[in-house]
Amino acid sequence: MITPRATDQGITFLDVETPLCTATLCLQGAHLTSWKPEGQEECLFLSPHAVFAPGKAIRGGIPICWPWFGPRKDAPSHGVARISEWRLHHQETDKEGNVLLSLAFYPEDEAFPAAILRLALGRTLAMKLETTARTQPCKLTEAFHNYFAVGNLTKCRVHGLDGIPFREEAARPMKHGERPLAPLGCLDRVYDCPACSGKTVLEDLVLNRAITVERSHASSVIVWNPGQQGAKNMADLGAASWNKFLCVEVGNAGSRCIPLASGQTHTMCQKITVGPLK
């Protein structure tokens, strides 16, 4: 069942409830704010201080950073997609019981590319972001900015990144455990992966689960948490939430941008599964 609802501020959500999962999607940003597979705890972190208002980015869930990743002078951080209204293009339920949604975003300025997001919501979560350059060529950077809920950040391990070069972009870098990555606080790493497909596993020793993120046509993995002081400085987050999530993102960032000629298309994909620790 898919049930639409709207807030007093005019923000529209789609609530999904099936035997396989429950989920919530905000049409502003095509932003998934909740995904809970059958038999599992909530997989996505949503800040208790998140703001749901027109033109405001939502803190948590899976923001879509597009058509650029990171800051840009005189422009919204992480692009325009996450603060813009998307149009629900198609919905259905497949024979396995997965809910399939397709959303489109065509910016008024045709110098911007167009985007279509396809989701399959069930015991696994699959997302495909298709970008097409329109009247102008573009250099695309992008990411699925996954906020994963964890029992305690300092009791997590991230597998699949050993030996991959990365840039640490945290303002105040700190030492973390390595091989596998064991975050202890503030970090903002952009890993430049040697291949555009791969798998990253977030092990949560407190919740006794592993979240696996498989990527394709995405050669960047970004691991981010602002730390306690950074979270305190964010009005829509707060110090109490800093160790309740870890962002393990997939995308094409920095030097891994995707050049698109007018009319050319690129599709980035991720598949997320969750299960018990082995």
Side-chain angles (χ1 to χ4, degrees):
M1 178 183 294
I2 303 173
T3 306
R5 60 182 168 89
T7 68
D8 292 340
Q9 292 79 22
I11 303 297
T12 301
F13 292 87
L14 301 178
D15 292 322
V16 175
E17 184 173 359
T18 75
L20 302 183
C21 74
T22 61
T24 300
L25 181 83
C26 180
L27 292 188
Q28 178 172 276
H31 192 139
L32 196 66
T33 59
S34 172
W35 174 59
K36 185 178 178 182
E38 185 271 330
Q40 302 288 343
E41 297 295 323
E42 173 64 57
C43 289
L44 302 181
F45 169 83
L46 182 66
S47 171
H49 303 295
V51 176
F52 303 99
K56 298 291 185 180
I58 299 170
R59 179 70 64 187
I62 305 182
I64 295 175
C65 304
W66 180 99
W68 61 83
F69 177 84
R72 177 173 288 193
K73 186 178 179 181
D74 299 324
S77 180
H78 288 320
V80 296
R82 66 181 186 151
I83 58 173
S84 299
E85 192 77 5
W86 291 57
R87 178 173 57 87
L88 180 62
H89 179 69
H90 181 74
Q91 66 181 61
E92 67 173 293
T93 301
D94 68 15
K95 61 183 180 181
E96 285 81 26
N98 299 295
V99 170
L100 309 181
L101 301 175
S102 177
L103 300 101
F105 176 45
Y106 290 83
E108 290 184 8
D109 184 350
E110 293 194 358
F112 280 90
I116 295 175
L117 177 68
R118 295 181 174 88
L119 302 98
L121 297 157
R123 289 193 179 93
T124 63
L125 167 62
M127 301 176 69
K128 297 182 179 181
L129 181 61
E130 178 183 295
T131 301
T132 302
R134 293 190 286 174
T135 62
Q136 301 292 327
C138 70
K139 291 185 177 180
L140 173 69
T141 54
E142 58 186 347
F144 292 126
H145 198 313
N146 307 314
Y147 283 74
F148 291 120
V150 299
N152 186 325
L153 171 74
T154 64
K155 302 297 183 183
C156 292
R157 306 290 182 267
V158 183
H159 295 267
L161 299 173
D162 295 356
I164 297 176
F166 65 87
R167 304 185 305 281
E168 175 57 82
E169 298 190 351
R172 296 181 179 178
M174 62 179 294
K175 188 176 179 63
H176 303 278
E178 306 287 351
R179 296 181 180 272
L181 173 63
L184 295 175
C186 178
L187 78 168
D188 188 2
R189 295 186 175 188
V190 181
Y191 287 84
D192 293 325
C193 303
C196 65
S197 61
K199 181 169 68 174
T200 309
V201 180
L202 170 58
E203 288 188 343
D204 187 329
L205 304 182
V206 173
L207 297 183
N208 191 38
R209 71 180 181 187
I211 297 175
T212 299
V213 185
E214 298 176 72
R215 59 183 167 83
S216 59
H217 305 291
S219 57
S220 302
V221 173
I222 304 98
V223 183
W224 178 77
N225 182 285
Q228 187 172 19
Q229 186 59 46
K232 181 180 179 181
N233 293 339
M234 297 178 182
D236 62 352
L237 187 53
S241 293
W242 79 273
N243 65 347
K244 300 302 182 185
F245 73 94
L246 182 64
C247 290
V248 181
E249 314 162 38
V250 304
N252 295 289
S255 63
R256 299 305 178 93
C257 71
I258 306 295
L260 294 177
S262 180
Q264 191 174 5
T265 295
H266 169 80
T267 302
M268 176 179 70
C269 308
Q270 73 170 3
K271 180 181 178 181
I272 300 172
T273 57
V274 58
L277 287 179
K278 297 180 179 180

